[in-house]
Amino acid sequence: MKKIYIVTFVLSAFFFTACADDYLDVDQTESISTSDVELFNNDAGAAQFVTAIYNKFLNWDMTSFGWIGLSSITSDDADKGSSAGDTGTDKDVLDALTYNASNPSAESTFIANYDGINKCNQALNILPKLDKVDANLRNRLAGEAKFLRAFMYFTLVKCYGGVPIVDHLPVPGSDSDRIMQLTRKTSAEVYAFIEADLNDAIAALPEKTAYGANDKSRASKGAAYALLAKVSLYQKKWQQVIDNTNKVTGYSIVSDYASMYRASGKFDSESIFEIYAQGAVPAKGIEGYSNTQGARGTGGWGWGFNTPSQSLVNAYEAGDVRKAATIIFRGSTLYDGRVIPTTVENERYNYKAYSSAYTDAWETDVDIKYLRFAEVILMKAEALNELGQTSDAIALLNQIRKRAGLGDTPAVSQADVRIAIWKERRVEMAFEHDRFFDLVRTGQAKAAFAVDGKTFTEGKNELFPIPASFIKQADGLSAQNPGY
């Protein structure tokens, strides 16, 4: 997919800045003039509005340092890493689960996702006005925008619980829209909104095979079904998980696990939805994603954050090929011949963030695979087991284990298979931004963190704080999460 930038009118409905506390300063350039409509009233012009949404995922504030902190460093799979004295602004308190309502990573992730949601709403607002655009393309683009909006709201509800639902471009000066932007909905309402967007997306999107080479990173019907299954998983809607995973067709797990995280593995048969990084400007990579996690010190190339924990190392069974594909060990030699010297500061680094071609550059070619067919198999296995169909769940679990070079699971009972599936998700999807949320949704968090000597406070740490600046601006329309 080509990277095209719309910079004058695709602005945030919240129009955040680093130090601003005004969440409602909507720039008037958001209004699309008649001449603008005509300028983009063609197939290529229409596509730019949705391309701008995908581009948001390449930004530092959306997918890089803050998000790594919330989704990975907080988990038992990772430690802060880097030098002892380098906090990474707040990565030390994230690692220790001692962050507060002013946490920068929680704020930047909240802001970035709403900026992305505004881009979705901008596209959904303008597309119906483009009457010279092919009707089928216009319908597909609207489906992509709704898929991406659902994806961002899923991130928000996992991180913060109930949040404001902004389902259209706010009108400057509208009191009802001001209230809409500042009033948190319940988690159930947010999930219902996500489901509605995904069902609309499913009706509009094509299968993966319908896209040409230049559009391979765009959302497909399979991606929408897979995300809907995951949304159902988080709500324990077990039959819906099964129904939706059954509709994710045309994919297969690759034989070589490690290949998925190299440039040659982009958009392979297992990939359902991934963030595409080309490693060059203007078709750029994810800002700082690889660099911030690269080996630090003499002979290194990065900042050294988000390092694999000893707990994760211990989670792998003997012979599991995923261990060597996930963790860079000090003193090892990588697939491209690069030797990791003993002079780097940390014992371990995230292999899935490693780029052979751009190891010391800010813009790298490392993709993030957010939805893979292996996870679809594990989601279905989990749902089947919860519904008492344990033998069928075991068969699916063993598919994933055999690809990893392991034998069949010894688990037999429903309770043991449940634990085996949870463990398999951990080692299969390590450093793919799921572990913290898996611990929370499955109720494992307190015990898992205790192993590392950390205190997970139930009733608080399940959610991150809503930014204090937002709560101040809401002025009573929204309340903070418990414990903050």
Side-chain angles (χ1 to χ4, degrees):
M1 185 180 71
K2 295 179 180 178
K3 304 291 185 289
I4 303 168
Y5 294 88
I6 301 174
V7 296
T8 57
F9 47 80
V10 181
L11 299 174
S12 170
F14 291 104
F15 201 61
F16 299 112
T17 63
C19 59
D21 63 358
D22 189 350
Y23 281 67
L24 297 174
D25 186 7
V26 182
D27 194 294
Q28 291 299 321
T29 56
E30 288 240 302
S31 301
I32 305 298
S33 68
T34 301
S35 61
D36 286 330
V37 171
E38 286 307 306
L39 178 64
F40 292 93
N41 200 0
N42 53 72
D43 290 0
Q48 289 187 53
F49 283 91
V50 178
T51 300
I53 309 170
Y54 289 98
N55 286 344
K56 181 62 187 176
F57 286 94
L58 302 177
N59 289 169
W60 166 263
D61 60 344
M62 183 74 162
T63 311
S64 197
F65 208 30
W67 175 237
I68 291 166
L70 291 194
S71 63
S72 195
I73 292 175
T74 53
S75 79
D76 62 340
D77 277 359
D79 297 319
K80 175 185 73 71
S82 190
S83 300
D86 189 344
T87 66
T89 304
D90 64 347
K91 304 308 176 289
D92 54 339
V93 295
L94 289 172
D95 194 11
L97 302 179
T98 57
Y99 40 86
N100 59 32
S102 298
N103 180 259
S105 294
E107 182 175 44
S108 65
T109 299
F110 186 90
I111 290 169
N113 278 277
Y114 273 110
D115 185 43
I117 287 165
N118 181 69
K119 293 182 189 296
C120 297
N121 289 338
Q122 181 70 266
L124 292 168
N125 178 65
I126 191 67
L127 285 170
K129 301 173 184 177
L130 304 180
D131 56 4
K132 296 178 183 178
V133 175
D134 177 80
N136 290 329
L137 173 62
R138 194 167 60 233
N139 186 51
R140 190 203 84 195
L141 291 171
E144 291 180 62
K146 288 196 171 184
F147 169 85
L148 294 167
R149 187 168 69 176
F151 188 97
M152 287 180 254
Y153 267 113
F154 186 44
T155 295
L156 289 169
V157 76
K158 287 187 298 181
C159 286
Y160 309 101
V163 292
I165 296 175
V166 183
D167 61 358
H168 63 272
L169 283 180
V171 176
S174 166
D175 194 55
S176 61
D177 281 355
R178 178 187 69 86
I179 293 171
M180 170 187 69
Q181 294 176 92
L182 293 177
T183 304
R184 296 180 68 184
K185 299 294 187 181
T186 65
S187 294
E189 288 172 313
V190 177
Y191 274 117
F193 183 75
I194 293 168
E195 290 169 345
D197 263 1
L198 288 175
N199 282 317
D200 287 349
I202 286 165
L205 291 174
E207 298 290 353
K208 177 183 178 180
T209 53
Y211 283 116
N214 289 336
D215 290 324
K216 56 191 174 182
S217 60
R218 292 187 178 273
S220 66
K221 194 180 297 288
Y225 274 126
L227 184 55
L228 187 55
K230 194 165 185 174
V231 168
S232 298
L233 183 79
Y234 273 67
Q235 299 175 88
K236 296 181 170 58
K237 295 181 177 180
W238 305 120
Q239 188 57 54
Q240 286 93 321
V241 174
I242 295 168
D243 293 343
N244 286 303
T245 54
N246 284 340
K247 294 173 183 175
V248 182
T249 58
Y251 303 89
S252 61
I253 59 173
V254 300
S255 58
D256 181 1
Y257 179 85
S259 70
M260 291 188 286
Y261 309 102
R262 302 172 187 173
S264 60
K266 292 175 183 281
F267 306 107
D268 54 24
S269 65
E270 189 163 333
S271 174
I272 299 174
F273 180 66
E274 66 183 84
I275 305 305
Y276 185 28
Q278 294 183 336
V281 177
K284 65 178 186 176
I286 302 167
E287 295 171 344
Y289 185 79
S290 183
N291 184 279
T292 56
Q293 300 179 75
R296 181 175 182 132
T298 305
W301 60 89
W303 296 5
F305 286 95
N306 197 34
T307 56
S309 66
Q310 186 63 50
S311 173
L312 177 63
V313 173
N314 295 343
Y316 291 97
E317 297 174 44
D320 191 333
V321 301
R322 294 170 297 194
K323 181 179 178 181
T326 301
I327 304 173
I328 293 174
F329 290 92
R330 185 163 54 192
S332 63
T333 301
L334 305 187
Y335 71 88
D336 59 357
R338 185 179 191 122
V339 176
I340 308 303
T342 58
T343 50
V344 296
E345 291 192 28
N346 308 102
E347 292 183 31
R348 298 174 290 272
Y349 297 95
N350 177 11
Y351 211 159
K352 291 180 180 179
Y354 175 71
S355 171
S356 177
Y358 300 95
T359 53
D360 58 354
W362 197 245
E363 309 286 358
T364 67
D365 61 356
V366 174
D367 286 12
I368 297 179
K369 292 180 182 285
Y370 271 124
L371 292 168
R372 297 194 281 115
F373 193 61
E375 184 183 7
V376 171
I377 292 172
L378 288 172
M379 287 193 292
K380 184 177 179 180
E382 186 171 342
L384 286 168
N385 187 57
E386 293 301 327
L387 293 178
Q389 301 172 53
T390 299
S391 60
D392 291 336
I394 290 172
L396 293 175
L397 177 61
N398 286 336
Q399 285 185 38
I400 305 303
R401 289 179 58 81
K402 287 177 181 177
R403 194 261 297 271
L406 303 174
D408 290 347
T409 179
V412 175
S413 70
Q414 183 187 44
D416 287 347
V417 169
R418 178 183 297 120
I419 293 170
I421 291 170
W422 290 347
K423 180 182 177 181
E424 206 65 32
R425 279 186 67 91
R426 181 183 191 183
V427 292
E428 174 69 26
M429 298 164 57
F431 288 94
E432 294 180 38
H433 306 282
D434 275 290
R435 176 62 176 172
F436 178 85
F437 305 109
D438 272 347
L439 288 174
V440 170
R441 74 172 180 84
T442 59
Q444 301 175 82
K446 185 174 183 177
F449 284 109
V451 171
D452 284 343
K454 300 174 186 178
T455 300
F456 181 94
T457 303
E458 293 181 326
K460 174 185 176 181
N461 287 131
E462 291 87 352
L463 299 173
F464 295 106
I466 300 289
S469 50
F470 173 84
I471 295 298
K472 179 181 178 181
Q473 184 72 17
D475 193 24
L477 290 173
S478 287
Q480 181 58 270
N481 283 327
Y484 300 104

